[in-house]
Amino acid sequence: TRADTATATPTATDMVTAMGMAITMGRGNKGKYMRFVIDNGGQTCNKFWSYLEPLDKAIEGHKISYILIPDKDLLNYPNLTSNEYIKFPFWSKSLSKIIGGGLYEKIVRYFVSPFVKIDRRFHLGLFRYGWESRLYHVSESHRPIIKEIFTPGKNIRDKVDKLFESSIKGHKLVIGLHVRKGDYKYWLGGKYYFSDSEYNCVCKTIKKKFPDVMFFIASNEKISKEMTSDLEYFSNIDGSAPEDLYALSKCDYILGPPS
C-alpha cells in the first residue's frame, strides 16, 4: 500500500531495483514513482531549495522523493533524514565521516551515471538535476510539515536562540542581512554583487525609518567596519551554514541579493 511504501526505509539495493523498474516502465507510468533528484550545485541553502519541489509533490501525492547526492550538512537536520516523504538512499553518516563528503559524492555520481544516461537517451524524464527543481509557492497545508522537516537539530537551535536572547536587548525589529559575495562578483557580470558601503547605505536608510532596528549579519567573509558603521548589529562569528540559516529564520525580515 502507499502507507507501507511511505514508512519503509529504502536500501541502496532497493533503489537500484526501483530505478531499473522506473526506467523499464518509461513514460507511460510516470505517476507511480517520484522522480529522482540527482544533485544541485551551490551551497547548503541552494541544495535545500531544490529539495522543496520534490518534497511538496511527495506530500501531495503521498509518495516518496529520492535525493541521490545529499548535502554535507545533512547531519544537522535529523527530521530531514527520518520522514516519510523524502529519502537519501545512498547517504551514510559513518561513511561520510570516514571518506569525506567530496569523495563520497564522486562515488555516488559514478554509481548512478548509467541510469542517468539511459534516462537522457530515451527521454524518460525520471531523473532531474537540482537546478531543474524549483518551488516558489508552498501550499498552506504543506507548510507545517515542511517547516518541521527542515528544522535543525537541538544543538543548533539552542546556540542560536541564546545568541539572539543576548543580542537583541529589547529591540523590537530584527532584520537579517545576508551578505553574498564570493562568486557573485563574476556571476551575471556582478549584477548582484554589492560593496560594503552599498550594504551600509541600504541599512542606514532602513534605520532612518526604523530607529529601533537591530541587524543580524550573515556572511562567510569578514564583516568590515565600513559595512557596519553607525549600525547596531550582531553576527554568529565562525558560524556554520545551518546556524546562519536558522538565525535568518528568526528575523522579522531578510535583506539581501537574490541568492
Side-chain angles (χ1 to χ4, degrees):
T1 63
R2 281 183 172 179
D4 293 334
T5 302
T7 55
T9 301
T11 64
T13 302
D14 294 333
M15 278 299 301
V16 173
T17 303
M19 286 192 288
M21 290 175 63
I23 291 174
T24 301
M25 291 169 67
R27 284 183 175 272
N29 297 287
K30 283 184 187 177
K32 188 172 181 180
Y33 294 96
M34 293 300 295
R35 285 178 173 175
F36 304 99
V37 178
I38 303 166
D39 187 23
N40 186 62
Q43 302 179 47
T44 298
C45 192
N46 277 325
K47 293 189 177 183
F48 282 6
W49 185 259
S50 74
Y51 298 169
L52 284 177
E53 190 257 354
L55 174 57
D56 184 69
K57 287 187 176 181
I59 296 172
E60 183 70 31
H62 302 285
K63 299 179 182 180
I64 302 175
S65 285
Y66 297 100
I67 309 296
L68 302 188
I69 304 177
D71 183 70
K72 61 181 178 61
D73 284 312
L74 201 61
L75 290 167
N76 297 299
Y77 295 86
N79 295 340
L80 193 53
T81 57
S82 58
N83 66 85
E84 60 182 282
Y85 302 109
I86 191 167
K87 303 295 180 184
F88 299 86
F90 300 123
W91 181 72
S92 168
K93 179 179 178 179
S94 57
L95 187 60
S96 296
K97 286 185 175 181
I98 293 172
I99 68 174
L103 179 57
Y104 165 79
E105 179 180 331
K106 289 180 180 179
I107 292 173
V108 175
R109 284 183 185 279
Y110 178 81
F111 181 75
V112 303
S113 61
F115 296 98
V116 178
K117 288 180 180 178
I118 293 173
D119 178 77
R120 293 290 193 249
R121 172 67 178 81
F122 294 101
H123 307 288
L124 302 178
L126 301 168
F127 295 89
R128 301 185 73 180
Y129 286 96
W131 289 117
E132 299 169 353
S133 299
R134 285 292 181 267
L135 181 70
Y136 296 97
H137 301 285
V138 177
S139 65
E140 288 299 322
S141 61
H142 296 175
R143 191 177 296 270
I145 301 174
I146 292 175
K147 286 179 67 176
E148 180 181 359
I149 288 175
F150 283 99
T151 298
K154 187 176 184 300
N155 59 322
I156 290 176
R157 300 198 310 272
D158 287 347
K159 178 182 177 181
V160 174
D161 288 345
K162 289 179 181 178
L163 174 65
F164 269 65
E165 185 178 348
S166 62
S167 303
I168 292 177
K169 301 175 182 178
H171 287 265
K172 295 180 180 179
L173 178 65
V174 180
I175 294 180
L177 175 62
H178 179 209
V179 178
R180 185 71 161 85
K181 292 193 173 182
D183 61 333
Y184 262 40
K185 190 171 184 176
Y186 309 101
W187 184 61
L188 295 180
K191 181 179 181 179
Y192 298 114
Y193 180 87
F194 301 103
S195 66
D196 291 352
S197 61
E198 288 175 310
Y199 279 109
N200 181 260
C201 180
V202 172
C203 290
K204 281 183 178 178
T205 301
I206 295 173
K207 185 179 178 180
K208 286 181 181 179
K209 188 170 183 64
F210 304 99
D212 196 39
V213 65
M214 170 70 81
F215 292 94
F216 167 74
I217 301 180
S219 176
N220 58 2
E221 297 187 12
K222 185 177 179 180
I223 299 172
S224 71
K225 291 183 179 180
E226 183 179 17
M227 183 187 299
T228 59
S229 176
D230 296 323
L231 299 178
E232 291 192 74
Y233 80 97
F234 66 105
S235 63
N236 185 24
I237 300 174
D238 297 323
S240 64
E243 290 170 0
D244 282 351
L245 286 175
Y246 178 63
L248 288 170
S249 76
K250 290 174 65 66
C251 299
D252 298 301
Y253 298 94
I254 298 176
L255 172 66
S259 175

